[in-house]
Amino acid sequence: MFASHSQIICTIFGVNIYFYGVILALAIVAGTLFSEHIATKYFELKKETIIDLAPYLIIFGILGARLYYCCLNYDFYLRFPTEILAIRHGGISIHGAILGGIVGLWIFSVKRKLNMIKLADVTVVGLALAQSIGRWGNFFNSEAFGRPTELAWKLYIAPQYRPVPYENYEYFHPTFLYESILDFILFIILYKIVQSKKNGNDGNLALIYLILYSIIRIFVEYYRIDSVVYIYGIPVAIIVSILLVVIASTLLICKNIGMRENE
């Protein structure tokens, strides 16, 4: 059993420093530096290309993640609009971050006249690493946990963070940990593909990421109890993930069949 004891690391000049923000910052730095490493070593991109790309991905990724989450929870944010800017309280969505990141990636690639698809292949490796680290922010925020459980690795959630109708339960599935571990495994798989130089033509790695991460999200979402939007009783995150698996798998198969026919 384990538990988060505080959301705040320390207070400096009256300003609270939150674990959530620090962990997100560490995740972004780690993901960026690793993508920069493989960009020059395996993708023949100029040094600091990914460093230059990072602000676009960060800004548009955070905007997309926050806007997507706020749209899914529009009833709350219509009543408390000032909370839209309170990102340190939590509340971002990876699907929104991916959409925002694609916009930032497109703008950067057009501006620098670079291959957007190749850049996507490079960035998804670092993204998987960043996601693995970033999920620990949910731990300190006591959010994104799963159904009640008595397993040995159960997560204690303080009463003020327990949603209705789980007020009388103390221990829950640590779904943040499940996803963190699975995201790290995804990172290793993508990196091994890069090292083997068997990722094929541009775009394969990004599509593999979308397929595998979506499968991870479907598994994790099955245990989570914090979904706010359902369609026919199914969390919207699962529906979006299934659509991504179908679309990415179709694209991966079609583009590689097309490549073989042209050889």
Side-chain angles (χ1 to χ4, degrees):
M1 187 271 287
F2 58 106
S4 171
H5 298 288
S6 175
Q7 295 183 358
I8 301 171
I9 301 176
C10 61
T11 300
I12 301 177
F13 300 117
V15 177
N16 292 331
I17 306 300
Y18 288 83
F19 278 104
Y20 189 84
V22 171
I23 289 172
L24 283 185
L26 289 174
I28 290 170
V29 170
T32 299
L33 292 178
F34 195 85
S35 286
E36 171 71 7
H37 164 68
I38 65 170
T40 54
K41 186 172 182 178
Y42 298 103
F43 288 86
E44 299 178 347
L45 289 171
K46 292 182 179 179
K47 189 173 178 59
E48 297 183 355
T49 297
I50 302 302
I51 300 297
D52 294 338
L53 168 63
Y56 291 81
L57 296 179
I58 294 168
I59 293 171
F60 284 96
I62 292 176
L63 284 174
R66 186 60 173 170
L67 288 174
Y68 186 95
Y69 181 86
C70 290
C71 286
L72 291 181
N73 297 271
Y74 69 92
D75 55 338
F76 173 81
Y77 290 103
L78 284 176
R79 286 184 286 126
F80 306 100
T82 56
E83 282 294 308
I84 293 174
L85 300 178
I87 193 170
R88 66 181 182 176
H89 294 166
I92 56 177
S93 168
I94 183 58
H95 288 134
I98 291 173
L99 289 173
I102 290 173
V103 174
L105 193 66
W106 175 75
I107 293 173
F108 180 82
S109 62
V110 170
K111 185 177 179 180
R112 294 293 186 90
K113 297 180 180 180
L114 295 171
N115 185 329
M116 176 180 171
I117 305 301
K118 178 181 284 189
L119 288 175
D121 281 345
V122 176
T123 55
V124 293
V125 184
L127 175 58
L129 176 61
Q131 286 176 263
S132 179
I133 298 171
R135 273 301 169 190
W136 283 88
N138 298 134
F139 167 66
F140 288 103
N141 262 14
S142 295
E143 62 186 8
F145 50 87
R147 298 193 298 261
T149 185
E150 288 297 328
L151 292 170
W153 53 86
K154 60 191 176 184
L155 172 67
Y156 174 77
I157 296 295
Q160 65 268 31
Y161 300 117
R162 299 171 196 167
V164 178
Y166 300 98
E167 299 95 332
N168 296 324
Y169 292 91
E170 293 185 329
Y171 305 108
F172 299 80
H173 278 281
T175 46
F176 84 90
L177 179 61
Y178 299 165
E179 184 165 337
S180 178
I181 293 171
L182 291 171
D183 284 345
F184 189 75
I185 292 172
L186 172 57
F187 159 68
I188 295 297
I189 290 172
L190 294 175
Y191 184 41
K192 289 298 182 181
I193 293 174
V194 170
Q195 286 183 311
S196 68
K197 299 182 180 179
K198 293 181 180 179
N199 53 300
N201 54 336
D202 291 345
N204 279 358
L205 209 60
L207 292 172
I208 291 170
Y209 163 81
L210 286 175
I211 294 166
L212 295 182
Y213 176 69
S214 296
I215 292 171
I216 290 171
R217 187 58 188 270
I218 291 168
F219 166 77
V220 172
E221 197 70 23
Y222 172 77
Y223 287 95
R224 283 176 60 168
I225 56 176
D226 60 343
S227 296
V228 293
V229 178
Y230 292 80
I231 299 177
Y232 295 109
I234 303 173
V236 70
I238 289 181
I239 294 173
V240 172
S241 296
I242 291 172
L243 288 173
L244 285 175
V245 170
V246 172
I247 293 170
S249 298
T250 302
L251 288 173
L252 185 64
I253 292 169
C254 290
K255 74 191 292 292
N256 285 285
I257 289 176
M259 286 295 295
R260 292 194 187 99
E261 289 177 349
N262 292 329
E263 288 179 354

